[in-house]
Amino acid sequence: MRPSSSLNLSFRSTINRMNNANDTMEKIVSLAKRRGFIYQGSDVYGGLAGTWDYGPLGVALKRNIMNLWWQHFVDSRDDMYGVDAAILMNQKVWQASGHVDTFVDPLCEDTVNHRRFRTDHILKDNGVNPDGMTMEQMDAAVVENDIKSPDGNPLSKSRTFNMMFMTHVGATNDESSVSYLRPETAQGIFTNFKNVVDSFYPDLPFGIAQQGKAFRNEIAPRDFIFRSREFEQMEIEYFVHPEAWEQAFDELLESTHEFLESLGLSPDHIHELDVPAEDRAHYSKKTIDIEYDYPIGREELMGIAYRTDFDLGNIQRVSKKSMEYQVKGSNERFVPHVIEPSFGVERALMAVLSESYREDEQNGEKRVYLTLPKHLAPIKFAVSPLLKNKPELVEKARQVYSALKKKYGAVMWDDNGNIGKRYRRQDEIGTPKCIVIDFQTLEDGTVTVRDRDTTEQQRVNIDEISL
Ligand code: GAP
């Protein structure tokens, strides 16, 4: 068993580890905690590795990303249907899908202190590319390159480790009550395929979309929220005629690029990787991974896979219920094939934070700011009276604040410290505009609107304040 202390990875130790790896990443992690975006899970008890809690600003940013995704892929199209399936599912789901047998990672162990590692990660960290290697080839590479554990001890041979969290449902504790926390949201879509067809009888092609939690008992959670044990996915299973999969694949890939652009990610930081057959998931005939240039290096942000009829075919075989689709006005029946765009919310959020993190100098002082797109910023406006001990300014500022709050919701009242400090605080959380109410406001109804990116200030009539 892995020593329980190694599960208690504190926020500080995460930062320390990444300190070596990347300075910018460390600054983002530190800002995320300090300003209430993301905290280590169970921090007060020393943390629980691979779990993260979202603070007030983090939850707002995350929701804005998820809502944008839903708007882009579901609400703005007429061929998408949403579902929200239970996380706990009948164990047959995971037997039929192949996850019980094949959802595994190669695990090796420090033979002295028994700390456990992912063998492919150990190889990568030592400059050996493990892509396409079998477990035996990885073990051979460890020996050939004389690779030791990070603590300098010999490593054991690898064994497979299933990443699903197993649990029992109900009061009995036997084989029949076994269930798993879902490792992907996709299966909750496949198991509802027939329900959606029966309720709506959509024309092919059509998609079913879902957002929600997924759980993987990662051997080595790492790089902040990039590889967590509990995370959130946004997935679509797009059902097509078997002969029409390529066209749908290309269309969804293009739509994915449009979505990533709407997150504010520069196309220069986004790369497509055509995943070689030996590295694809067991269900995939073609996968394109979208990689992003994170501060930790170029890594997978999301993937699009051609899952063929693998999943519906398995459900049909195991449940003995037909998953065939009957084409309207014809006798043609078949099990549809599937294109799956699969996004991780945390990886999208980490890309957004990485893309928007900036430092510059204003009036001889260092400034940190986030150039978050306005539609993603957790706070749209901060409203301040120039002086908080002048009741007439405070009263006017409160009126402006209430009017903006009614319209935009995410508006912050900020009257702490001097104006310069307020601007710095808002810059650091990516607030696009700061509104200041001063004595001139009382005379002519104009306010100062200060822009986060340019730091320029303009006099604007209260009725004309806009994002
Ligand atoms: N249904 C397909 C599927 O789950 P995947 O490549 O295993 O495919 C899809 O996962 C996406 O989920 C990844 O591209 C990534 O964005 C996210 N993801 C996977 N494992 C993750 C983890 N441990 N922590 C955070 N995000 C993860």
Side-chain angles (χ1 to χ4, degrees):
M1 283 281 290
R2 183 182 185 156
S4 62
S5 61
S6 69
L7 289 173
N8 295 330
L9 185 76
S10 74
F11 203 88
R12 183 46 42 196
S13 72
T14 305
I15 290 176
N16 284 342
R17 204 178 61 70
M18 289 193 307
N19 202 0
N20 306 326
N22 194 293
D23 194 37
T24 307
M25 196 65 235
E26 190 212 337
K27 288 176 183 166
I28 292 172
V29 175
S30 164
L31 184 151
K33 174 169 182 167
R34 193 163 27 84
R35 299 311 314 276
F37 283 88
I38 300 168
Y39 309 114
Q40 169 73 55
S42 313
D43 199 14
V44 72
Y45 288 112
L48 179 67
T51 66
W52 300 93
D53 294 344
Y54 285 81
L57 299 183
V59 77
L61 179 56
K62 182 163 138 172
R63 287 220 174 127
N64 291 342
I65 291 172
M66 293 175 78
N67 289 342
L68 188 67
W69 185 92
W70 197 266
Q71 164 65 26
H72 180 84
F73 284 107
V74 183
D75 285 345
S76 72
R77 302 176 58 126
D78 51 17
D79 57 352
M80 291 285 182
Y81 297 77
V83 293
D84 186 9
I87 288 175
L88 290 172
M89 303 179 84
N90 190 310
Q91 57 173 279
K92 287 182 187 156
V93 169
W94 306 109
Q95 290 159 0
S97 68
H99 282 81
V100 169
D101 291 331
T102 60
F103 197 58
V104 292
D105 270 340
L107 173 143
C108 63
E109 195 169 309
D110 180 310
T111 52
V112 177
N113 62 22
H114 304 293
R115 282 180 67 199
R116 291 170 175 183
F117 306 94
R118 256 179 73 169
T119 317
D120 52 336
H121 286 175
I122 287 273
L123 287 175
K124 238 185 208 167
D125 292 348
N126 284 278
V128 180
N129 182 359
D131 293 349
M133 284 189 190
T134 62
M135 208 164 70
E136 289 70 27
Q137 287 167 333
M138 287 189 211
D139 282 343
V142 166
V143 174
E144 260 167 43
N145 294 282
D146 194 26
I147 293 172
K148 300 277 187 280
S149 83
D151 299 323
N153 300 318
L155 288 161
S156 71
K157 280 202 159 167
S158 303
R159 65 181 172 86
T160 55
F161 174 80
N162 193 300
M163 288 196 285
M164 285 198 292
F165 284 100
M166 190 198 272
T167 186
H168 289 271
V169 174
T172 50
N173 222 336
D174 57 23
E175 279 287 295
S176 68
S177 65
V178 165
S179 184
Y180 304 90
L181 298 184
R182 66 182 179 201
E184 61 168 10
T185 59
Q187 295 303 323
I189 296 178
F190 290 122
T191 48
N192 278 296
F193 164 75
K194 201 73 189 146
N195 289 335
V196 172
V197 170
D198 289 348
S199 302
F200 297 91
Y201 203 180
D203 287 326
L204 272 190
F206 72 92
I208 304 181
Q210 175 165 228
Q211 299 182 331
K213 290 273 187 177
F215 304 82
R216 296 183 188 180
N217 197 3
E218 296 281 355
I219 296 167
R222 59 192 208 170
D223 298 322
F224 192 33
I225 52 174
F226 182 85
R227 190 174 303 287
S228 320
R229 291 191 166 122
E230 176 176 340
F231 56 98
E232 212 138 355
Q233 288 186 319
M234 310 184 280
E235 298 199 295
I236 293 165
E237 305 307 326
Y238 197 71
F239 300 97
V240 298
H241 190 284
E243 277 155 28
W245 73 269
E246 274 163 307
Q247 191 189 334
F249 195 104
D250 291 347
E251 190 266 310
L252 285 166
L253 182 58
E254 198 181 321
S255 188
T256 292
H257 281 292
E258 285 163 13
F259 172 69
L260 296 175
E261 207 176 319
S262 73
L263 289 182
L265 305 183
S266 158
D268 293 344
H269 297 154
I270 288 168
H271 311 275
E272 285 184 13
L273 173 74
D274 196 342
V275 180
E278 63 273 20
D279 290 339
R280 291 199 289 259
H282 58 282
Y283 49 70
S284 175
K285 272 249 172 85
K286 176 179 174 77
T287 298
I288 299 270
D289 277 350
I290 299 288
E291 299 186 318
Y292 177 76
D293 292 324
Y294 293 98
I296 53 168
R298 186 178 292 182
E299 296 282 355
E300 175 189 334
L301 192 164
M302 60 81 62
I304 306 188
Y306 170 38
R307 283 180 87 130
T308 68
D309 59 353
F310 178 85
D311 299 274
L312 290 183
N314 282 336
I315 293 176
Q316 180 166 274
R317 182 174 49 77
V318 176
S319 71
K320 312 262 183 290
K321 298 198 174 95
S322 170
M323 292 294 129
E324 285 183 338
Y325 179 88
Q326 159 101 53
V327 178
K328 282 179 200 165
S330 125
N331 289 331
E332 193 184 3
R333 297 173 70 90
F334 53 87
V335 176
H337 282 215
V338 169
I339 307 299
E340 178 197 64
S342 175
F343 293 77
V345 178
E346 281 70 12
R347 295 199 185 172
L349 195 149
M350 191 162 134
V352 167
L353 284 178
S354 308
E355 184 82 33
S356 63
Y357 184 88
R358 297 274 194 295
E359 291 175 2
D360 68 3
E361 215 179 275
Q362 294 291 332
N363 307 322
E365 256 185 59
K366 186 184 143 196
R367 170 175 86 127
V368 170
Y369 63 115
L370 299 180
T371 58
L372 294 172
K374 290 172 189 166
H375 52 280
L376 295 184
I379 305 290
K380 312 296 183 204
F381 296 98
V383 180
S384 305
L386 179 65
L387 300 166
K388 72 176 183 182
N389 59 357
K390 296 287 176 200
E392 62 274 38
L393 292 187
V394 173
E395 191 188 336
K396 190 70 193 167
R398 280 281 173 199
Q399 282 171 14
V400 174
Y401 168 75
S402 301
L404 286 176
K405 191 137 184 82
K406 216 170 180 181
K407 191 165 172 196
Y408 294 96
V411 178
M412 189 183 272
W413 176 262
D414 189 356
D415 62 3
N416 269 332
N418 65 38
I419 290 291
K421 285 211 173 104
R422 292 178 209 168
Y423 288 159
R424 296 288 172 279
R425 261 203 313 272
Q426 295 301 330
D427 287 345
E428 224 186 10
I429 62 172
T431 305
K433 288 187 174 163
C434 290
I435 314 287
V436 178
I437 283 74
D438 55 20
F439 292 107
Q440 194 182 329
T441 314
L442 304 179
E443 283 169 21
D444 65 5
T446 62
V447 295
T448 303
V449 178
R450 188 261 193 183
D451 183 273
R452 173 196 67 198
D453 299 339
T454 63
T455 73
E456 270 169 23
Q457 302 184 16
Q458 282 186 323
R459 290 303 299 186
V460 174
N461 199 295
I462 287 173
D463 303 330
E464 286 165 10
I465 300 173
S466 64
L467 198 55

